[in-house]
């Protein structure tokens, strides 16, 4: 009875358009009332869920990403990417993919990535004769790489969601995302090039500018790129913890945007502060409420019952993993990334582990699925931003999205069925 109340009330509230955080909270309250338990349990779980020291990394990583966004780092990264691949057919599309990948590694946020790189590249591509749907699809799909980069605060959220189920370190997750990020970038490059050739997009006049030009552009972007090296190097050397690395990222972002590039104005600094505060508030509210929601899912054995239902369909790990991917993708199209991680991890991680999947590998699969949801209506925030910049409707973009979905799907299958892609790098540092 109580489980029915939990699931039905949550689903109905989502269908009515109630924000996810409030839908989770209200369905938890409804379940408490149906069970006759003290309503104080909900608030105890909410407060307890937010009182974790490692969560300090979330506002710092978010703030670092916003500083990178408003600090003019994107322009230098775009110039570097364009100097590398801008001379091939559809070169601006290829430059866009590389620029989004590099900036994603710096900012760790798909939304910041598409806002920063998209505002530069999408209008430029349209001006050079590229179709708006191509420019938007290239940008929005390449921006998703930021979700599995070391600076992504969603990795911190996933480690929280695994509490009581498995022990997953933030460092392992950071390292695990590196090879899949490379694979995803290569898949995006292949999709961008294939569509460019098919549509007959032009080659940049003058050809390759030479390695001296590449070196100059690289050196100009190097201070911004070093943030990933500093974070991973500091953690691996023991100089600071994963939580402390987030504050180091903020300090480095402030240093290079104010003293090195001198591109961060006081107005943009205040914008970055306000955006970081808003994002942090939303994420922490979701974390607290989802902790109460997770308590009820554990109490009423949702993971066990879901596992039994899936096993009634098939007992093959290949089929089970495929079903998990499909369900995560569907849920990710309706829920925000943080909400999907917090709600789905306690349900699907025990099932995946039962069939032999490593929790770290599952974490990367979860993040890729959630990222794909960011580019799919009805809650495709990354796609909406890209379409707004490109001045094109979501429907027009969706009609030609197939090759780019195929690229992400190929990467997801590689990571799902070849564990070494996500586990090889973390194994080297154990």
């Amino acid at each position: 009875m109580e489980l029915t109340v939990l699931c039905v009330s949550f689903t109905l509230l989502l269908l009515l358009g109630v924000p996810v955080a409030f839908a989770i909270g209200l369905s938890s309250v409804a379940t408490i009332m149906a069970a006759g338990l003290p309503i104080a349990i909900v608030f105890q779980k909410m407060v307890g869920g937010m009182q974790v020291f490692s969560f300090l990394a979330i506002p710092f990583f978010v703030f670092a990403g916003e500083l990178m966004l408003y600090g003019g780092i994107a322009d230098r990264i775009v110039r570097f990417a364009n100097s590398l691949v801008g001379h091939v057919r559809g070169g601006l599309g290829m430059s866009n993919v590389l620029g989004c990948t590099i900036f994603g590694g710096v900012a760790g946020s798909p939304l910041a990535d598409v806002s920063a790189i998209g505002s530069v590249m999408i209008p430029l591509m349209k001006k050079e004769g590229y179709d708006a749907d191509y420019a938007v699809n290239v940008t929005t799909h390449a921006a998703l790489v930021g979700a599995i980069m070391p600076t992504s605060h969603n990795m911190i959220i996933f480690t929280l969601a695994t509490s009581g189920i498995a022990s997953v370190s933030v460092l392992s997750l950071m390292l695990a995302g590196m090879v899949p990020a490379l694979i995803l970038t290569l898949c995006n490059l292949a999709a961008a090039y294939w569509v460019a050739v098919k549509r007959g997009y032009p080659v940049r006049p003058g050809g390759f500018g030479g390695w001296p030009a590449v070196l100059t552009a690289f050196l100009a972007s190097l201070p911004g790129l070093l943030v990933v090296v500093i974070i991973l190097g500091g953690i691996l050397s023991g100089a600071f913890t994963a939580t402390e690395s987030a504050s180091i990222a903020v300090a480095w972002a402030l240093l290079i945007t104010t003293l090195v590039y001198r591109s961060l104005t006081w107005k943009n600094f205040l914008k970055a502060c306000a955006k970081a505060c808003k994002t942090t508030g939303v994420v922490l509210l979701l974390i607290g409420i989802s902790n109460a929601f997770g308590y009820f899912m554990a109490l009423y054995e949702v993971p066990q019952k879901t596992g039994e239902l899936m096993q009634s369909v098939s007992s093959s790990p290949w089929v089970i993993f495929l079903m998990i991917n499909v369900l995560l993708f569907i849920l990710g199209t309706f829920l925000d990334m943080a909400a999907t991680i917090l709600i789905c991890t306690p349900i699907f991680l025990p099932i995946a582990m039962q069939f032999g999947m490593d929790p770290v590998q599952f974490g990367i699969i979860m993040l890729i699925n959630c990222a794909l949801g960011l580019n799919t209506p009805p809650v495709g925030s990354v796609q909406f931003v890209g379409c707004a910049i490109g001045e094109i409707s979501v429907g027009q973009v969706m009609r030609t999205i197939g090759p780019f979905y195929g690229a992400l799907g190929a990467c997801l299958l590689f990571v799902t069925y070849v564990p070494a892609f996500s586990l090889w790098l973390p194994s080297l540092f154990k």
Side-chain angles (χ1 to χ4, degrees):
M1 171 65 182
E2 290 84 0
L3 181 57
T4 303
V5 171
L6 180 68
C7 297
V8 172
S9 61
F10 178 63
T11 303
L12 285 176
L13 288 167
L14 284 181
L15 292 174
L16 290 171
V18 176
V20 175
F22 295 101
I24 295 172
L26 290 172
S27 59
S28 298
V29 171
T31 307
I32 277 283
M33 295 175 69
L37 299 172
I39 199 168
I41 291 177
V42 175
F43 303 104
Q44 289 172 350
K45 293 297 178 183
M46 281 179 58
V47 174
M50 291 185 283
Q51 290 181 333
V52 180
F53 175 75
S54 60
F55 289 172
L56 284 174
I58 294 175
F60 282 121
F61 272 135
V62 171
F63 189 32
E66 295 299 330
L67 289 172
M68 298 288 185
L69 170 61
Y70 288 104
I73 291 174
D75 294 340
R76 293 168 175 83
I77 289 176
V78 165
R79 284 196 290 270
F80 170 51
N82 200 31
S83 69
L84 271 176
V85 295
H87 60 285
V88 302
R89 183 169 297 280
L92 279 181
M94 310 282 277
S95 300
N96 199 338
V97 172
L98 283 184
C100 285
T101 299
I102 296 169
F103 188 80
V106 171
S109 166
L111 202 55
D113 202 348
V114 74
S115 300
I117 302 297
S119 61
V120 176
M121 291 300 295
I122 293 176
L124 178 60
M125 290 177 71
K126 290 173 64 179
K127 182 181 176 183
E128 293 295 324
Y130 292 82
D131 296 317
D133 63 306
Y134 175 77
V136 171
N137 273 324
V138 167
T139 308
T140 54
H141 284 81
L144 302 182
V145 180
I148 53 176
M149 288 295 194
T151 49
S152 173
H153 66 274
N154 290 296
M155 290 188 173
I156 311 293
I157 297 174
F158 177 78
T159 57
L160 152 74
T162 62
S163 299
I165 305 171
S167 177
V168 178
S169 73
V170 177
L171 176 59
S172 294
L173 211 55
M174 287 179 173
L175 293 171
M178 300 295 283
V179 175
L182 176 61
I183 296 170
L184 183 52
T185 301
L186 293 174
C187 291
N188 281 327
L189 285 170
Y193 181 73
W194 184 79
V195 175
V197 171
K198 186 178 178 182
R199 296 189 183 185
Y201 288 140
V203 177
R204 184 180 67 187
F208 183 50
W211 290 109
V214 174
L215 180 61
T216 301
F218 172 70
L219 292 175
S221 63
L222 182 61
L225 303 179
L226 283 176
V227 65
V228 179
V229 178
I230 291 172
I231 289 173
L232 289 178
I235 296 173
L236 291 172
S237 66
F240 43 77
T241 65
T243 303
E244 292 164 348
S245 71
S247 60
I248 300 296
V250 171
W252 184 255
L254 278 172
L255 177 68
I256 61 175
T257 54
T258 56
L259 299 181
V260 179
Y261 293 152
R262 300 188 178 185
S263 53
L264 183 66
T265 63
W266 178 248
K267 181 180 179 181
N268 283 340
F269 174 75
L270 293 179
K271 283 183 180 178
C273 291
K275 187 71 182 296
C277 289
K278 180 181 177 181
T279 303
T280 301
V282 170
V283 170
L284 288 179
L285 177 62
L286 273 170
I287 288 173
I289 293 178
S290 295
N291 193 53
F293 194 78
Y295 167 77
F296 293 116
M297 287 196 294
L299 182 64
Y300 299 118
E301 300 180 334
V302 173
Q304 292 88 331
K305 292 175 181 177
T306 305
E308 290 171 5
L309 179 62
M310 294 176 74
Q311 287 183 66
S312 68
V313 176
S314 174
S315 59
S316 168
W318 285 63
V319 177
I320 295 295
F321 296 158
L322 181 62
M323 291 169 61
I324 289 174
N325 274 318
V326 171
L327 289 170
L328 287 176
F329 168 70
I330 293 172
L331 291 169
T333 63
F334 291 95
L335 300 173
D336 183 73
M337 192 165 184
T340 307
I341 295 170
L342 291 164
I343 293 171
C344 296
T345 300
I347 298 174
F348 294 113
L349 178 57
I351 301 170
M353 290 174 63
Q354 182 182 343
F355 283 88
M357 182 177 286
D358 189 279
V360 174
Q361 180 190 3
F362 178 83
I364 301 302
I365 292 170
M366 168 70 79
L367 292 172
I368 295 175
N369 273 296
C370 291
L372 191 54
L374 294 177
N375 209 23
T376 308
V379 192
S381 54
V382 168
Q383 189 179 68
F384 293 154
V385 172
C387 289
I389 296 171
E391 299 177 336
I392 185 173
S393 70
V394 172
Q396 289 174 286
V397 169
M398 289 300 293
R399 280 196 288 270
T400 57
I401 206 170
F404 302 95
Y405 263 6
L408 263 71
C411 175
L412 184 58
L413 290 176
F414 283 140
V415 176
T416 301
Y417 295 114
V418 186
F421 284 141
S422 54
L423 300 179
W424 170 71
L425 201 55
S427 68
L428 296 179
F429 295 92
K430 284 185 177 179

